[in-house]
Amino acid sequence: MAVVAIAGGLGAPGATTVAMALLMTWPLPEGHRVVLAEADPDGGAILPGALQGTLGNTHGLRHLAVAGRQGQLGEAFWRQLVDVTDAGTRDRLVLPGLYDPAHAFAMEPVWKPLAGLFAGIEGHGHDVLVDLGRRGAVGSSAVLAQRADAVVVVARNTLRGLQSANVRLKALREVVGGAGEVGVLLVDEGPYSKDEVRKRLEVPVTAVLPWRPKDAKVLSDGAEPPRRFESGELMRAARSAAVRVQELVAIRRSRLAPPQLPPGTVTAGGVDGAR
């Protein structure tokens, strides 16, 4: 299981839309769940977008600020999750973001315990996707990126898109340091190839998603799905991207794992492998 942070940047490259695509296609072993937490201090887009305002402001991040001050963050977290599956299976869940950016200041003391909560539930059969939006992981919310197993930046392969992504990546590298894996999820709208993007940004391109505005509106605005949406090019690419992101997490965990010593090796704590 993993905690993955998804970042956007200036020019609205589509981080939340990509996050929703990953949520809906994330591979889930039996009994496991995936949660998408919309953690952009500038405000969320899922409540008025994909959920089409059907819940009003009854669910979301703002309610966790109150619960956090009362020492009830864990209990409140599960009550704020929204099931986005048609069958009501509650294995793909959303924590909607702030509906008013003015509420961001109230979240400042909550980001750290929330990041700890994410790390805790990922050890119990839950993957967590954290949508950082265009400004998340700055200041007190930086802990969301620091505690993630991997950070991926959504970028479009246009000149403006790559300039924005470059600024965002530099800031995130300072936040994450060498502890986490960083990659790019590329939205193929512009003229630059995957290899050109990799060289320009000096970061691996984890996956490429096609530029399909009509299909993207299903995820961003709750539009009526076109025919064969689930088997269409965008969702097929999202399934592949989800696997690539999981591989990015596996690379980090392999890098951080302690070396396996042969049985009988003498260490400071005794003989490894002894019973």
Side-chain angles (χ1 to χ4, degrees), residues 92-104:
R92 300 181 190 274
L93 303 161
V94 167
L95 172 64
L98 301 172
Y99 64 85
D100 185 343
H103 297 148

Side-chain angles (χ1 to χ4, degrees), residues 187-210:
V187 178
D188 192 14
E189 181 191 7
Y192 298 100
S193 69
K194 178 179 177 180
D195 192 51
E196 289 172 322
V197 171
R198 178 185 60 78
K199 291 178 180 178
R200 186 180 184 93
L201 299 181
E202 299 181 339
V203 169
V205 176
T206 304
V208 180
L209 299 171

